[in-house]
Amino acid sequence: MSSTTQHGLVVSAHSADFVWRAGGAIALYARRGWNMTVVCLSFGERGESAKLWREPGMTLDRVKAARRDEATRAAGILGASVRFLDCGDYPLRVSDDALFQLADIYRELRPAFVLTHSLKDPYNFDHPLATHVAQEARIIAQAHGHRPDQPVLGAPPVFLFEPHQPEQCEWKPEVLLDISEVWDVKRRAFETMAAQEHLWEYYTRVALQRGVQASRNSDLKITHAEGYQRIFPQVTGAFA
Amino acid sequence: MSSTTQHGLVVSAHSADFVWRAGGAIALYARRGWNMTVVCLSFGERGESAKLWREPGMTLDRVKAARRDEATRAAGILGASVRFLDCGDYPLRVSDDALFQLADIYRELRPAFVLTHSLKDPYNFDHPLATHVAQEARIIAQAHGHRPDQPVLGAPPVFLFEPHQPEQCEWKPEVLLDISEVWDVKRRAFETMAAQEHLWEYYTRVALQRGVQASRNSDLKITHAEGYQRIFPQVTGAFA
Amino acid sequence: MSSTTQHGLVVSAHSADFVWRAGGAIALYARRGWNMTVVCLSFGERGESAKLWREPGMTLDRVKAARRDEATRAAGILGASVRFLDCGDYPLRVSDDALFQLADIYRELRPAFVLTHSLKDPYNFDHPLATHVAQEARIIAQAHGHRPDQPVLGAPPVFLFEPHQPEQCEWKPEVLLDISEVWDVKRRAFETMAAQEHLWEYYTRVALQRGVQASRNSDLKITHAEGYQRIFPQVTGAFA
Amino acid sequence: MSSTTQHGLVVSAHSADFVWRAGGAIALYARRGWNMTVVCLSFGERGESAKLWREPGMTLDRVKAARRDEATRAAGILGASVRFLDCGDYPLRVSDDALFQLADIYRELRPAFVLTHSLKDPYNFDHPLATHVAQEARIIAQAHGHRPDQPVLGAPPVFLFEPHQPEQCEWKPEVLLDISEVWDVKRRAFETMAAQEHLWEYYTRVALQRGVQASRNSDLKITHAEGYQRIFPQVTGAFA
Amino acid sequence: MSSTTQHGLVVSAHSADFVWRAGGAIALYARRGWNMTVVCLSFGERGESAKLWREPGMTLDRVKAARRDEATRAAGILGASVRFLDCGDYPLRVSDDALFQLADIYRELRPAFVLTHSLKDPYNFDHPLATHVAQEARIIAQAHGHRPDQPVLGAPPVFLFEPHQPEQCEWKPEVLLDISEVWDVKRRAFETMAAQEHLWEYYTRVALQRGVQASRNSDLKITHAEGYQRIFPQVTGAFA
Amino acid sequence: MSSTTQHGLVVSAHSADFVWRAGGAIALYARRGWNMTVVCLSFGERGESAKLWREPGMTLDRVKAARRDEATRAAGILGASVRFLDCGDYPLRVSDDALFQLADIYRELRPAFVLTHSLKDPYNFDHPLATHVAQEARIIAQAHGHRPDQPVLGAPPVFLFEPHQPEQCEWKPEVLLDISEVWDVKRRAFETMAAQEHLWEYYTRVALQRGVQASRNSDLKITHAEGYQRIFPQVTGAFA
């Protein structure tokens, strides 16, 4: 990719979260020529692979390999590359080494925006921890004394994608992103997630509901949308 | 103005509020060729004209005339037109007639966005009432059964400008609007407000602080900014 | 109905709100032999009858008549009776006379529970006003000095049904009511709302999403659910 | 009283509220030589006089007279004077005339602080309305154009006393006032409220619980306390 | 106990917390034949044993032994069994080993509900940590990849019992549990807590206040109650 | 200092935070003869020393030495002493050893009040961690079983000073401390912070804005103020 390619970063607790929650944004920006990178902190090998564990003779390594394959294929369909930090799940535990690795990725990519999980989730403690780590690594990458030979990171905005049960997570859709034109891509990426087929229809409905709401909050015709909450204020030269 | 001119609407409780709180946005959009209309629900004649009331022999009518003059001059400097509904202040009382008048203005202008006060203000009950009325008139203008011969209003976003003591009003700057290029215009508009000279430096500092914060939340150099809170989610095709 | 019949009361701002938002609860309790009464404060004649207003020569009275018919039919399908207070909509305005009428209905029915709208709704100010009125009439009916010859009302719990865009209304599903067994009835009641056909699929998806969430928050198989928020704490002899 | 006497103002929705909720503060300041004035917006004649309404042949006028007597006696015990605006209760309705009467009282007394109800109360809508009116009258009294011949009011802080079910009212004790030395006076004032004897023990326990909490949040021995929430920030020259 | 016995789990930071805060619920369910298990993460040996530390020659081990005895006796009176994880207190520190031990207890007991502390407590950081651990262990026990040979845990609801100063902990009583019939048992269990005699009257008053509130929020006569906040929505077939 | 000297404690994440945020309070109390002690958990060597890192050949040790010097000089100007725990920054990591060291300082000084950071800060995770540690060490110092030979700490109130972007940190000025008389001292202390000259004007404006607000919330003339949020309720014998 050329030196002027723009980058977007997605920090995902488990290997499939980015597909359900940010697949539209990823596909949209990939189509625009951006370099989209997904960092999966874990494979979701213990907590989000129920179907695989029902197979006889399953082992942790085989689950991880299968989940890695699925996520890699889904990322490919969306047009993103994916990196796995293999921190473990249920519970996710992020060492300072992994945190600094993520800070290095910030410095390497210099993303124009970051997508990650909600701030709270009583159903899943790995999600808010991923958000915390995504924020902390960003702050470290902004420090002049961290690898002082490298230029520091600027202030990329952070957007929080929709959790499974939004109201229980105190999450609110402050941005409704129109993903109508890439909906078919997101749906195809869904369908690589054989282990979680029960979620296909659920997240299709989420996209349709957010689409209706996006139309209602504008004068546009939008069929599918993704909701995001902001961490930081929008800095802008125009009301939009 | 041509039929394709775009419109912005500002609903201000008292005759000077729009200058301190939204003067930058108004000047910015006026410079871009937009038609900016300010509706002042009152003149601030009782509650925001201390200096005038200290003059001997002052009457309510004379205060109102003086405040009308000042506001008209300030609007002129910013590049906006201004309408006065003369509803009274301290306390502001908005009849359903005035409410429908405002709904008519929505239908007439079809603004692309609306600026008004914060949702709460323990120092000033006229401000949140103005916000309530600005919202309610917008909803009425959206109703198909309201003047059914006219086309209904769409869904213009509403932005809430900064109150005098933001934290006490539970107001949060979700949008930081770069007003650096029109700051001098806003400052000149300030200075027509002879009755409230004590506020000139206060609101200059507000603009500088929000400017520093806007720079910190982006990688831009911004000297002056205005903060706004959103009522509705942002509908967008891009993270910005 | 016999003297031991139990009663439930639904206070609806417009003539169709109760169908989309509480139709499952109504059908469920009607099937159990309860007397369910819906009070519509308005017909939604101005603000929620877009399709009717597109017909040539439409008048307010004809819209009201059509909406009354639809709501009566929908209530019939659900197994409820409906009363109309005809207070007007967009904006809804509730006089003290209407308020006392509602207090009388509380005293007459002595409902075991009350269903009404969310506490806030930036898209629709009639909804939170209906909630306010439903609460205030309940409080009046509890006063010993109000029609002192009648026995006072007890303390029926109040449940707030789901608004159209829940997060924007600061509404949270604290109760997920299993309506699987009456879903077909609710859907049939939907379909009498010819004026709002665009909402059929939207509220079908709402019921499915809340159904999935209800299953996830229990060990039950639930296909369709309705969400409610509580005003008052649950008083109980068992955790349930 | 001498021209240097300091004044405190209590705005009470019903005739007994000030006793249960602010009786300690009133007695404490009365003992210090302050002039304490209670304004009762209503007598609580409809909604808070259950016991009186159970007497045969009771009328609204007789209830009001009885409640006035009780409140006057209680105020006397506490060392306060009381004024009744007779606005009605359940529902309380405050006309602009009554509002201006209260603004006049602010101008007359120039209180150093104001005590009133919580901002919300789902059990009793008269309480938050009283708070709203107490705040709005204060704002009007601050306006230079309101009776421009009089000096304007300064900025007396407003403290919100404890509602019956604090958590449900979103009320939080930000100030714990030590009333140990006047507890016996408050208790005696309680006991004039023959109509509400069931509340005596309840509010004795409230005072004891807040006393324990006051001790826990300091290194003092406090047996009885009253809790208050602030509307405005504390302005001070010392952390206390 | 038979294979159909139902289980309830209480996660308590210190050895006495469960008595003051959930003793009524435990006694109530024990009386109904449930198996109630209390897990004490620590003995409260450093931070909640002031009286013991005033005895000459006291050691940490002796305090722990005394607290274990007291808690065991109190649990016996309530009808519960108790397990101690001995994680230390002030500060409580929970290793992943202890966390997995608790996850094992979830898998072993398969509780129908879980009781634990509030989400925040500025007076005591061990309490919210206990809540965090109780939630995280529950989530781990739900993971198919955790001990994949065992059946996973379902979704038992979690209820948060009342902290010492509820408003400061942002805790709200969403459930009021009628414990009138077992109040005498809870009081007897209290009285084994010789080290904290100063709390006996405090928590007796808490039970009485919540009892009055429970009566007020229903049409029942309730003398004593315990308050609980919910983490998850109630899933139900009936409004109750 | 004599045995009756009173103490104040400031817990600062980085070596300069206490100057910008609490310098007025420190100077005010020092002038009154109090012993003011600042504990800096880190030097801000990595994250808050941009200017130093731009010098050629800079090392971590040289940055730390320079920051230590600056902070010591600033503290001297304010009249405080300063201790450095050298825990590292970006990210700050506080071991239990450091936590107990801070608990020892509480026991040693027995401060009458504590000043520290806000509870949240999305721009800087070291700040809320410092607050957490300041609170946790205080709780440990209150435990009878912690160094049982020493008298326990009482309950000093904790005040949270103003973060850089207050609304984003959910911080609210509940106390406005008049620092007019020591403003020149605070400004001089500022100016030792050569590494952060860009902040001088920013924090001068903060002091002026809070000064205006302090005047508005009282009837006093205040030119400069500092804002603080409370963790605990104020315990008092008078409304102030």
Side-chain angles (χ1 to χ4, degrees):
Chain A
M1 91 203 75
S2 92
S3 68
T4 59
T5 305
Q6 283 189 284
H7 295 256
L9 175 62
V10 184
V11 180
S12 181
H14 310 107
S15 66
D17 294 331
F18 71 93
V19 187
W20 314 111
R21 308 190 187 295
I26 296 169
L28 198 64
Y29 275 88
R31 179 171 290 187
R32 289 172 187 167
W34 285 50
N35 177 269
M36 296 300 297
T37 300
V38 179
V39 174
C40 291
L41 298 178
S42 82
F43 299 101
E45 61 269 24
R46 286 166 44 92
E48 309 205 338
S49 306
K51 204 171 164 183
L52 289 166
W53 285 108
R54 288 197 203 96
E55 295 179 19
M58 188 52 63
T59 65
L60 200 65
D61 281 348
R62 286 180 51 204
V63 173
K64 286 162 76 166
R67 295 296 279 165
R68 171 193 285 269
D69 274 5
E70 261 181 21
T72 306
R73 255 178 302 132
I77 291 170
L78 296 172
S81 62
V82 59
R83 307 185 192 185
F84 300 94
L85 298 197
D86 196 7
C87 295
D89 75 325
Y90 284 69
L92 175 65
R93 290 289 180 260
V94 182
S95 66
D96 276 359
D97 270 2
L99 176 66
F100 283 114
Q101 240 181 299
L102 187 56
D104 286 346
I105 294 175
Y106 271 100
R107 285 272 178 96
E108 171 198 343
L109 298 178
R110 316 187 74 75
F113 61 80
V114 184
L115 310 181
T116 190
H117 293 267
S118 59
L119 292 168
K120 299 193 182 172
D121 191 337
Y123 299 98
N124 192 316
F125 280 13
D126 296 354
H127 291 171
L129 177 57
T131 311
H132 188 89
V133 165
Q135 290 182 276
E136 191 160 40
R138 175 182 170 279
I139 292 169
I140 293 169
Q142 292 175 324
H144 285 80
H146 176 71
R147 302 193 185 277
D149 48 308
Q150 296 177 347
V152 298
L153 183 72
V158 179
F159 298 89
L160 309 179
F161 37 72
E162 180 163 352
H164 192 268
Q165 299 190 48
E167 298 95 347
Q168 309 303 328
C169 300
E170 300 176 24
W171 176 93
K172 193 175 167 176
E174 297 178 337
V175 175
L176 291 169
L177 183 74
D178 180 358
I179 61 161
S180 308
E181 62 168 290
V182 293
W183 167 248
D184 60 314
V185 183
K186 178 167 179 176
R187 174 79 199 201
R188 259 188 298 128
F190 266 24
E191 296 178 359
T192 64
M193 294 293 154
Q196 292 168 300
E197 194 173 337
H198 59 289
L199 294 177
W200 296 3
E201 290 314 307
Y202 191 85
Y203 282 105
T204 297
R205 289 192 299 261
V206 167
L208 288 166
Q209 299 302 83
R210 296 302 178 197
V212 172
Q213 292 172 9
S215 299
R216 285 238 177 170
N217 282 286
S218 69
D219 302 324
L220 306 169
K221 291 273 168 273
I222 293 171
T223 59
H224 297 78
E226 279 175 353
Y228 292 88
Q229 185 174 300
R230 285 177 179 280
I231 293 273
F232 301 106
Q234 178 189 13
V235 180
T236 183
F239 293 114
Chain B
M1 91 202 70
S2 90
S3 68
T4 59
T5 305
Q6 283 189 284
H7 295 257
L9 175 62
V10 185
V11 180
S12 181
H14 311 107
S15 66
D17 295 331
F18 71 94
V19 187
W20 314 110
R21 308 189 189 295
I26 296 169
L28 198 65
Y29 275 88
R31 179 170 290 187
R32 291 173 187 167
W34 285 50
N35 177 268
M36 296 300 296
T37 300
V38 179
V39 174
C40 292
L41 298 178
S42 82
F43 298 101
E45 61 269 22
R46 285 166 45 92
E48 310 206 337
S49 306
K51 203 171 166 184
L52 289 166
W53 284 108
R54 288 198 202 95
E55 295 177 19
M58 188 51 64
T59 65
L60 199 65
D61 282 348
R62 287 181 50 205
V63 174
K64 286 162 76 166
R67 295 296 279 166
R68 170 193 286 269
D69 275 5
E70 262 182 22
T72 306
R73 255 179 302 131
I77 292 169
L78 296 172
S81 62
V82 59
R83 307 185 194 186
F84 300 95
L85 298 197
D86 197 7
C87 296
D89 75 324
Y90 284 70
L92 175 64
R93 289 290 179 259
V94 182
S95 67
D96 276 358
D97 270 2
L99 176 65
F100 284 113
Q101 241 180 296
L102 186 56
D104 286 346
I105 294 174
Y106 271 100
R107 285 272 178 95
E108 172 198 344
L109 299 178
R110 317 188 72 74
F113 61 79
V114 185
L115 310 180
T116 191
H117 292 268
S118 59
L119 292 169
K120 299 192 183 173
D121 191 336
Y123 299 98
N124 192 315
F125 280 12
D126 295 354
H127 292 170
L129 177 57
T131 311
H132 188 90
V133 165
Q135 291 182 276
E136 190 161 41
R138 176 181 170 280
I139 291 168
I140 293 170
Q142 292 174 324
H144 284 81
H146 176 73
R147 301 193 186 278
D149 48 308
Q150 296 178 348
V152 297
L153 183 72
V158 179
F159 298 89
L160 309 180
F161 38 72
E162 180 163 352
H164 192 269
Q165 299 189 49
E167 298 95 347
Q168 309 302 328
C169 300
E170 301 175 22
W171 175 94
K172 191 173 168 177
E174 297 177 335
V175 176
L176 291 168
L177 184 74
D178 180 359
I179 61 162
S180 308
E181 63 168 290
V182 293
W183 167 250
D184 61 315
V185 183
K186 178 168 179 175
R187 175 78 198 201
R188 260 188 297 128
F190 265 23
E191 296 178 0
T192 63
M193 295 292 153
Q196 293 169 299
E197 193 173 338
H198 59 289
L199 294 176
W200 297 3
E201 292 314 308
Y202 190 86
Y203 283 104
T204 298
R205 289 191 300 261
V206 168
L208 288 165
Q209 300 301 83
R210 296 301 178 197
V212 172
Q213 292 172 10
S215 299
R216 285 238 177 170
N217 283 285
S218 68
D219 301 324
L220 306 169
K221 291 273 168 273
I222 293 172
T223 59
H224 297 78
E226 278 174 353
Y228 291 88
Q229 185 174 301
R230 286 177 180 280
I231 293 272
F232 301 106
Q234 179 189 12
V235 180
T236 183
F239 293 114
Chain C
M1 92 201 73
S2 90
S3 68
T4 59
T5 305
Q6 281 188 286
H7 294 256
L9 175 63
V10 185
V11 179
S12 180
H14 310 107
S15 66
D17 295 331
F18 70 93
V19 187
W20 314 111
R21 307 189 188 297
I26 296 170
L28 198 63
Y29 275 87
R31 178 171 291 189
R32 290 173 186 166
W34 285 51
N35 177 269
M36 296 300 296
T37 300
V38 179
V39 174
C40 292
L41 299 178
S42 81
F43 299 101
E45 60 268 23
R46 285 166 46 91
E48 309 206 337
S49 307
K51 204 172 165 184
L52 289 166
W53 284 108
R54 288 198 202 95
E55 295 178 20
M58 189 50 64
T59 64
L60 200 65
D61 281 349
R62 287 180 49 206
V63 173
K64 286 162 76 166
R67 295 296 279 167
R68 171 194 285 268
D69 274 5
E70 261 182 23
T72 306
R73 254 179 301 133
I77 292 169
L78 296 172
S81 61
V82 58
R83 307 185 192 186
F84 301 95
L85 297 198
D86 197 8
C87 295
D89 75 325
Y90 284 69
L92 175 64
R93 290 290 181 259
V94 182
S95 66
D96 277 359
D97 270 1
L99 176 65
F100 284 113
Q101 240 180 296
L102 187 56
D104 286 346
I105 293 174
Y106 272 100
R107 285 273 179 95
E108 172 197 342
L109 299 179
R110 317 187 73 73
F113 60 80
V114 185
L115 310 181
T116 189
H117 292 267
S118 59
L119 292 168
K120 299 191 182 174
D121 192 337
Y123 299 98
N124 192 315
F125 280 12
D126 296 355
H127 291 170
L129 177 56
T131 311
H132 187 89
V133 165
Q135 290 182 277
E136 191 160 40
R138 175 181 170 279
I139 291 169
I140 293 169
Q142 292 174 324
H144 285 80
H146 176 71
R147 302 194 186 277
D149 48 308
Q150 295 177 347
V152 298
L153 184 71
V158 179
F159 298 88
L160 310 179
F161 38 71
E162 179 163 353
H164 193 269
Q165 299 189 48
E167 297 95 348
Q168 309 302 328
C169 300
E170 301 176 23
W171 176 93
K172 192 174 168 178
E174 297 178 335
V175 175
L176 292 169
L177 183 73
D178 180 358
I179 61 161
S180 308
E181 63 169 290
V182 291
W183 168 248
D184 60 314
V185 182
K186 179 167 180 177
R187 175 79 199 203
R188 261 187 296 127
F190 266 24
E191 296 179 0
T192 65
M193 295 291 154
Q196 292 169 300
E197 191 173 339
H198 59 290
L199 294 176
W200 297 2
E201 291 313 308
Y202 190 85
Y203 282 105
T204 297
R205 289 192 299 262
V206 167
L208 288 166
Q209 299 302 83
R210 296 302 177 197
V212 172
Q213 292 172 9
S215 298
R216 285 237 177 172
N217 283 285
S218 68
D219 302 324
L220 306 168
K221 292 273 168 272
I222 294 172
T223 60
H224 296 80
E226 279 176 351
Y228 292 87
Q229 185 174 301
R230 285 177 181 279
I231 294 271
F232 301 106
Q234 178 189 12
V235 180
T236 183
F239 293 115
Chain D
M1 91 201 76
S2 92
S3 68
T4 58
T5 305
Q6 282 190 285
H7 295 257
L9 175 62
V10 184
V11 179
S12 180
H14 309 108
S15 65
D17 295 330
F18 71 93
V19 187
W20 314 111
R21 308 190 188 295
I26 296 169
L28 198 64
Y29 275 88
R31 179 172 290 188
R32 290 171 187 168
W34 285 51
N35 177 270
M36 297 300 297
T37 300
V38 180
V39 174
C40 292
L41 298 179
S42 81
F43 299 101
E45 60 268 24
R46 286 167 44 91
E48 309 204 337
S49 306
K51 203 171 166 184
L52 289 166
W53 285 108
R54 288 198 202 96
E55 295 178 17
M58 189 50 65
T59 66
L60 199 65
D61 281 349
R62 286 180 50 205
V63 173
K64 286 162 76 166
R67 296 295 279 166
R68 171 192 286 268
D69 274 6
E70 262 181 21
T72 306
R73 255 178 302 133
I77 292 170
L78 296 172
S81 62
V82 59
R83 306 185 193 186
F84 301 94
L85 298 197
D86 196 7
C87 294
D89 74 325
Y90 285 68
L92 176 63
R93 291 290 181 258
V94 182
S95 67
D96 276 359
D97 270 3
L99 175 66
F100 284 113
Q101 240 180 298
L102 187 56
D104 286 346
I105 294 174
Y106 271 101
R107 285 272 178 96
E108 173 198 342
L109 298 178
R110 317 187 74 72
F113 61 80
V114 185
L115 311 181
T116 190
H117 292 267
S118 59
L119 293 169
K120 298 193 182 173
D121 191 337
Y123 299 98
N124 191 315
F125 280 13
D126 295 354
H127 292 170
L129 177 56
T131 311
H132 188 90
V133 165
Q135 289 182 277
E136 190 160 42
R138 175 181 170 279
I139 292 169
I140 293 170
Q142 292 175 323
H144 284 80
H146 176 72
R147 302 194 185 277
D149 48 307
Q150 296 177 347
V152 297
L153 183 72
V158 179
F159 298 88
L160 309 179
F161 37 70
E162 179 163 353
H164 192 269
Q165 300 189 47
E167 299 95 346
Q168 310 301 328
C169 299
E170 301 176 24
W171 176 93
K172 192 174 167 176
E174 297 178 335
V175 175
L176 291 170
L177 183 74
D178 180 358
I179 61 162
S180 308
E181 62 169 289
V182 293
W183 167 249
D184 60 315
V185 183
K186 178 167 179 176
R187 174 80 199 201
R188 261 188 296 126
F190 267 23
E191 297 178 0
T192 65
M193 295 292 153
Q196 292 168 299
E197 193 173 337
H198 59 291
L199 294 176
W200 296 4
E201 291 314 309
Y202 190 86
Y203 282 105
T204 297
R205 289 192 300 259
V206 167
L208 287 166
Q209 300 300 84
R210 297 302 178 196
V212 172
Q213 293 172 9
S215 299
R216 285 237 176 172
N217 282 285
S218 68
D219 301 324
L220 306 169
K221 292 272 168 275
I222 294 172
T223 59
H224 296 79
E226 278 176 353
Y228 292 88
Q229 185 174 301
R230 285 177 179 279
I231 293 272
F232 301 107
Q234 178 190 12
V235 180
T236 183
F239 293 114
Chain E
M1 94 202 73
S2 90
S3 68
T4 59
T5 305
Q6 282 189 285
H7 295 256
L9 175 63
V10 184
V11 179
S12 180
H14 310 106
S15 66
D17 294 331
F18 70 93
V19 187
W20 314 111
R21 308 190 187 296
I26 296 169
L28 198 62
Y29 275 88
R31 178 170 293 188
R32 290 172 186 165
W34 286 50
N35 177 268
M36 297 300 296
T37 300
V38 179
V39 174
C40 292
L41 298 178
S42 81
F43 298 101
E45 61 268 24
R46 284 166 45 91
E48 309 205 338
S49 306
K51 204 170 164 185
L52 290 166
W53 284 108
R54 288 197 202 95
E55 295 177 20
M58 188 51 63
T59 65
L60 199 65
D61 281 348
R62 286 180 50 205
V63 173
K64 285 162 77 165
R67 295 296 278 167
R68 172 194 284 269
D69 275 5
E70 260 181 22
T72 306
R73 256 178 301 132
I77 292 170
L78 296 172
S81 61
V82 58
R83 306 186 193 185
F84 301 95
L85 298 198
D86 196 8
C87 296
D89 75 325
Y90 284 70
L92 175 63
R93 291 289 181 259
V94 182
S95 66
D96 277 358
D97 270 2
L99 176 65
F100 283 113
Q101 239 180 301
L102 187 56
D104 286 346
I105 294 174
Y106 272 100
R107 285 272 179 96
E108 171 197 344
L109 298 179
R110 317 186 73 75
F113 61 80
V114 184
L115 311 181
T116 189
H117 292 267
S118 60
L119 292 169
K120 299 191 183 175
D121 191 336
Y123 299 98
N124 192 315
F125 280 12
D126 296 354
H127 291 170
L129 176 56
T131 312
H132 188 89
V133 165
Q135 290 183 277
E136 191 160 40
R138 176 182 169 278
I139 291 169
I140 293 170
Q142 292 175 324
H144 285 79
H146 176 72
R147 302 195 185 275
D149 48 309
Q150 295 177 346
V152 298
L153 183 72
V158 180
F159 298 88
L160 310 179
F161 39 70
E162 180 163 352
H164 193 269
Q165 299 190 47
E167 299 94 348
Q168 309 302 329
C169 300
E170 301 176 24
W171 176 92
K172 193 175 167 176
E174 297 178 335
V175 175
L176 292 169
L177 183 73
D178 180 358
I179 60 161
S180 308
E181 63 169 290
V182 293
W183 168 249
D184 60 314
V185 183
K186 177 168 179 175
R187 175 79 199 201
R188 260 187 298 127
F190 268 22
E191 297 179 359
T192 64
M193 295 291 155
Q196 291 168 299
E197 191 173 340
H198 60 290
L199 294 176
W200 297 2
E201 290 314 308
Y202 191 85
Y203 283 105
T204 298
R205 289 192 299 261
V206 168
L208 288 165
Q209 298 303 83
R210 297 301 179 196
V212 172
Q213 293 173 8
S215 299
R216 285 238 176 171
N217 282 286
S218 68
D219 302 324
L220 306 168
K221 292 272 168 274
I222 293 172
T223 59
H224 297 78
E226 279 175 353
Y228 292 87
Q229 185 174 300
R230 285 179 180 278
I231 293 270
F232 301 106
Q234 179 189 12
V235 180
T236 183
F239 294 115
Chain F
M1 92 203 69
S2 90
S3 68
T4 60
T5 305
Q6 283 189 285
H7 295 256
L9 174 64
V10 184
V11 180
S12 182
H14 310 108
S15 66
D17 295 331
F18 70 92
V19 188
W20 313 111
R21 309 190 188 296
I26 296 169
L28 198 63
Y29 275 87
R31 179 171 291 188
R32 290 173 187 166
W34 285 51
N35 176 268
M36 296 300 297
T37 300
V38 179
V39 174
C40 292
L41 298 179
S42 81
F43 298 102
E45 60 268 23
R46 285 166 45 91
E48 309 206 338
S49 306
K51 205 172 164 182
L52 289 166
W53 284 108
R54 288 198 202 95
E55 295 177 20
M58 188 51 64
T59 64
L60 199 65
D61 281 348
R62 287 180 49 206
V63 173
K64 285 162 76 165
R67 295 296 279 166
R68 171 193 286 269
D69 275 5
E70 261 181 23
T72 306
R73 255 178 302 131
I77 292 170
L78 296 171
S81 61
V82 58
R83 307 185 192 185
F84 301 94
L85 298 198
D86 196 8
C87 297
D89 75 324
Y90 285 70
L92 174 64
R93 291 290 180 258
V94 182
S95 67
D96 276 358
D97 270 1
L99 176 65
F100 283 113
Q101 239 180 300
L102 187 55
D104 286 346
I105 294 174
Y106 271 101
R107 285 272 179 96
E108 170 198 344
L109 299 177
R110 316 187 73 74
F113 61 80
V114 184
L115 310 180
T116 190
H117 292 268
S118 59
L119 293 169
K120 298 192 183 175
D121 192 336
Y123 299 98
N124 192 314
F125 280 12
D126 295 355
H127 292 170
L129 177 57
T131 312
H132 188 89
V133 165
Q135 290 182 277
E136 191 161 40
R138 175 182 171 279
I139 292 168
I140 293 169
Q142 292 174 325
H144 284 80
H146 175 73
R147 301 192 185 278
D149 48 307
Q150 296 177 347
V152 297
L153 183 72
V158 180
F159 297 88
L160 309 179
F161 38 71
E162 180 163 353
H164 192 268
Q165 299 189 49
E167 298 95 347
Q168 309 303 328
C169 301
E170 300 175 23
W171 175 94
K172 192 173 168 178
E174 296 177 337
V175 175
L176 291 168
L177 183 74
D178 180 358
I179 61 161
S180 308
E181 62 169 290
V182 292
W183 168 247
D184 60 314
V185 183
K186 178 168 180 176
R187 175 79 200 201
R188 259 188 298 127
F190 266 23
E191 296 178 0
T192 63
M193 295 291 153
Q196 293 169 298
E197 192 172 339
H198 59 289
L199 293 177
W200 297 3
E201 291 314 308
Y202 190 85
Y203 282 104
T204 298
R205 289 192 299 261
V206 167
L208 288 166
Q209 299 301 83
R210 296 301 177 197
V212 172
Q213 292 172 9
S215 298
R216 286 237 176 171
N217 282 286
S218 68
D219 302 324
L220 307 168
K221 292 274 168 272
I222 293 171
T223 60
H224 297 78
E226 279 174 353
Y228 292 88
Q229 184 174 301
R230 284 177 182 279
I231 293 271
F232 301 106
Q234 178 189 12
V235 180
T236 183
F239 293 115

